[in-house]
Amino acid sequence: MALMWEEDFEAALAHANQAITIGTQIDAPKVLAGAYGISGSVQAVSGNLDGARKELEKSVAIARSAGSAAHESVALYMSGNIENWQGHYDKAVDLASTGARVASDNQLAAAFLRCNYAHAIALTNKGAYDQALALFTDGLQITEKLGDVAFIPRYQNGLGWLCMECQDFDRGLDLNRRSAEITRGGKHAVGVEMTAFAEINIADILLARGDSGAAFEVLEAGGNAVDAGVAAGLALGVLESAQVSVAGVAPMMIYLADSREVITISGLGTWPKAASCAYFQDKHGGAIPKGVERTVVPAAPDAWITRRSRGTAPCASAMSPPPTCAAWPMPLAGEPERAPWIIRMLPG
C-alpha cells in the first residue's frame, strides 16, 4: 500500500501479486482480499480500468465471504472512483454509498470517510448538490474532529469545488486555499496531488473572476461585448489549455441587440487537403487512427478573427489579455509528467 501511494506502481503491483500467490497457497482470504484490492487500485491509477475492475470485484467478493469489512469498504471506495472517473455517476453513488454503509456499520472511521468522500464527489458530478453538501459538511466535521490530516484537505477541496460549482466563489476560494496550505508541506505523492487539486480549483475560481476582469478592461477601453468575448475566449486558451485550445475548434453564437440578429460561426475544422477516404481505406482499413492523422485543420483562430469583425475595439486591445495571463503561475507547472494522472483524478 505504501508503495502505491508513493506511486512506485511497478513495485506495488509486484508485491500485491506475490501476496496473492502466498495467500492462495495458505488459503488466507483476508490476505487475498487486501492484495486484490491493492492490485486493483494500482491498475486504476495507472489507467488500466478494466483490469482494475476485475481485481476490485474479486477483493469485494472475497472480503464479504471472509467477513472483512475493512477490505470490502476500501475496494468499494476505489471501485466508486473508477465509475466516477468514467462518468458513470449512478453506479459510483451506489458503490461508494455501499462502502460508506459497510464502514459505518463496523465503525471503520478511515474507510467511512473515504467512501463518504467518493459518494459526495459522485453526487456533485450528478448535480445533486444538496445531498453532496450534506455529505461534504458532515465528513469535514468528522475529519477535523479526528484530526485526519490526510483527508481534511480532501474534504476542503471537494467542498470548495462544490461551492465553486454553485458560484459561491468566496467560500470556494477560502476552502481550497486552506486545503493547499495543508498539503503544500507534504512532499510525498499524495501531498503533491492534493495541492494540484486545490490549486486547479483556485485557478478556476480566479479564472471566473479574471476573465470577467479581462473582458471589463476591453469594454472600458472602448470595445463591445464581442470584443470582450474574444478576449475571454483567448484567455481561456492560455488558462485552461487542457479544455480550450487556440489550435482547436470554437463554435459560437452571437446575438446583435441593435439588429436583433443571431449570427452563428461553426468554428469547426476541415480535413487537410491531402486527406481522402481512399487514404484511410488503404492505410488503415477504413478506420481513423489516433494521433495526428485524425486531426482537423485548427479552426479557432479563423473563428475568433471572424467574430472580431463584429467588434469595435482595435484588434491588439481585444487580444491583449492572453499574453498577460501567460505570465501567471499555473497549476501543474514544473510537473508535466504528472499531468495525465492528475487529470484522471480530478473531481470536476
Side-chain angles (χ1 to χ4, degrees):
M1 183 67 76
L3 289 169
M4 182 184 73
W5 292 124
E6 290 174 1
E7 296 188 34
D8 190 348
F9 298 144
E10 185 176 347
L13 198 56
H15 280 279
N17 289 334
Q18 186 178 10
I20 290 170
T21 300
I22 296 171
T24 302
Q25 292 172 348
I26 65 175
D27 190 23
K30 291 186 179 180
V31 171
L32 287 171
Y36 278 121
I38 293 173
S39 174
S41 297
V42 170
Q43 292 190 55
V45 298
S46 301
N48 182 13
L49 301 186
D50 290 336
R53 280 193 181 91
K54 294 177 182 178
E55 299 290 85
L56 291 168
E57 286 171 0
K58 291 178 184 177
S59 179
V60 170
I62 294 171
R64 283 175 176 167
S65 65
S68 177
H71 289 128
E72 179 186 353
S73 57
V74 170
L76 286 168
Y77 160 68
M78 186 54 72
S79 297
N81 282 336
I82 291 173
E83 300 305 328
N84 193 45
W85 298 339
Q86 293 204 303
H88 306 150
Y89 302 133
D90 288 332
K91 194 169 183 180
V93 166
D94 180 60
L95 289 165
S97 62
T98 301
R101 177 181 52 76
V102 170
S104 178
D105 290 346
N106 291 274
Q107 299 182 351
L108 301 170
F112 169 77
L113 288 170
R114 282 147 183 77
C115 291
N116 183 72
Y117 173 80
H119 188 189
I121 290 293
L123 286 170
T124 303
N125 276 324
K126 277 188 65 176
Y129 294 147
D130 289 340
Q131 292 173 271
L133 177 62
L135 294 183
F136 275 132
T137 302
D138 290 346
L140 181 56
Q141 289 176 350
I142 295 170
T143 57
E144 290 175 338
K145 185 174 182 179
L146 294 176
D148 186 346
V149 178
F151 253 70
I152 288 173
R154 284 189 185 274
Y155 273 97
Q156 290 172 331
N157 169 242
L159 182 55
W161 169 54
L162 174 58
C163 291
M164 180 180 71
E165 289 288 300
C166 297
Q167 297 189 14
D168 186 354
F169 294 137
D170 289 341
R171 190 180 182 202
L173 199 58
D174 175 64
L175 284 162
N176 279 289
R177 281 174 171 164
R178 285 159 55 193
S179 174
E181 185 177 353
I182 294 173
T183 58
R184 282 194 189 102
K187 301 303 181 183
H188 48 78
V190 176
V192 173
E193 165 206 336
M194 285 309 305
T195 302
F197 289 174
E199 288 183 345
I200 287 171
N201 279 355
I202 290 169
D204 281 340
I205 293 170
L206 294 177
L207 173 64
R209 294 174 169 178
D211 274 351
S212 298
F216 186 69
E217 287 176 7
V218 170
L219 290 172
E220 277 196 317
N224 62 13
V226 175
D227 298 307
V230 170
L234 290 172
L236 278 169
V238 175
L239 295 171
E240 288 284 337
S241 56
Q243 306 295 329
V244 180
S245 174
V246 175
V249 298
M252 60 189 75
M253 182 181 294
I254 305 169
Y255 174 69
L256 302 176
D258 56 352
S259 61
R260 295 189 176 184
E261 181 184 5
V262 176
I263 297 173
T264 59
I265 300 173
S266 70
L268 302 178
T270 60
W271 288 107
K273 185 176 181 180
S276 66
C277 293
Y279 173 85
F280 289 108
Q281 289 287 355
D282 294 342
K283 299 291 184 180
H284 303 289
I288 301 177
K290 293 182 179 180
V292 70
E293 287 178 298
R294 70 161 52 184
T295 305
V296 297
V297 176
D302 177 67
W304 293 125
I305 292 170
T306 301
R307 181 172 172 172
R308 271 282 307 125
S309 67
R310 296 288 180 165
T312 59
C315 186
S317 174
M319 296 186 176
S320 62
T324 303
C325 295
W328 299 353
M330 295 300 297
L332 305 181
E335 291 192 311
E337 72 283 355
R338 286 179 49 83
W341 181 75
I342 289 174
I343 290 168
R344 285 200 304 274
M345 296 287 287
L346 289 176

